[in-house]
Amino acid sequence: MSSPGPGRPRVQSVDRAFDLLDALSIRGGRASLGDLVSDTGLAAATVHRLCGTLAESGHLRRDAGRDYLLGPRLQRIGDVAGRATASWAVPVLTAVVEGTGETANLAVREGDGVVYLAQVPSPHSMRMFTEVGRRVDVHCTAVGKALVAGDDDDEVRSMLDRAGMRRFTDSTIVDPDRLIEELRVVRQAGFATDESEQEEGVRCVAIAVGTGDAAFAVSASGPEARFTRDRRDAAVAILRAAVAGLVP
């Protein structure tokens, strides 16, 4: 077993199996043995053994080129997981939309990025739209900043070294020191913002809920002309109220 610190011990083999599935997902569902060794840092023999077990159970399969692919049994799990997530996420996001008038999103961290899992759109004709399942960068999104604000500075720098800091707009933060300083502000304030950093003219505010790998972020986003700074700040209380029933 691996010991993550406070709380119950974790089963190392289970952690490693999910690391492999996550790595395959990030690569689009297909990867070679070498890719998985590189992505997870596990020994080749360990990756081969775990992937063999997952392939025998139908959760992975191997093609003629010897690449590993996500298997058909994961399709059913994914479909059920999507419906289960929607059952609690949609009411939360609907409350955010009703309170702010802006589009609400739910996102989780995936490797060195963030993935959107659910969305409820704003009723306005001019509204923000993010495709569910889309993967975005951490450094330029409110959900990303909210989810990594709990990491220490060295962890953040390592993540940025791997992922890079691509510029999307003139407002995108591309200096690691500046982002780390902003994350310190996020920790103190309890919420993160995106001020036209990923898309010009779009403002977003997000809070993180939960800790560690189980954490998720909820956000509200809209055009700057309508979603003013005052309305953005007022949205923080709405976001916190919407998730209040989900916090133990």
Side-chain angles (χ1 to χ4, degrees), residues 87 89 131 145 162 169 197 234:
S87 69
E131 182 180 1
K145 295 174 196 174
R162 293 188 299 268
T169 72
E197 296 163 45

Side-chain angles (χ1 to χ4, degrees), residues 111-140:
D112 294 327
V114 175
V115 173
Y116 290 101
L117 294 186
Q119 180 182 87
V120 173
S122 163
H124 297 289
S125 57
M126 181 183 292
R127 61 194 179 196
M128 303 304 102
F129 175 78
T130 298
E131 182 180 1
V132 172
R134 180 186 177 194
R135 193 169 189 268
V136 296
D137 294 341
V138 166
H139 70 285
C140 59

Side-chain angles (χ1 to χ4, degrees), residues 121-203:
S122 163
H124 297 289
S125 57
M126 181 183 292
R127 61 194 179 196
M128 303 304 102
F129 175 78
T130 298
E131 182 180 1
V132 172
R134 180 186 177 194
R135 193 169 189 268
V136 296
D137 294 341
V138 166
H139 70 285
C140 59
T141 57
V143 288
K145 295 174 196 174
L147 286 167
V148 304
D151 292 356
D152 64 38
D153 292 352
D154 288 340
E155 289 175 323
V156 173
R157 289 186 188 279
S158 294
M159 180 269 294
L160 296 175
D161 285 342
R162 293 188 299 268
M165 299 183 75
R166 184 160 52 124
R167 181 179 290 281
F168 293 90
T169 72
D170 289 342
S171 300
T172 305
I173 298 174
V174 294
D175 177 16
D177 290 335
R178 185 179 164 200
L179 181 65
I180 286 172
E181 186 58 39
E182 179 162 336
L183 292 178
R184 291 170 183 161
V185 174
V186 172
R187 293 183 196 114
Q188 294 177 346
F191 65 90
T193 62
D194 161 12
E195 299 290 336
S196 291
E197 296 163 45
Q198 184 186 47
E199 185 176 349
E200 197 68 50
V202 176
R203 173 171 284 128

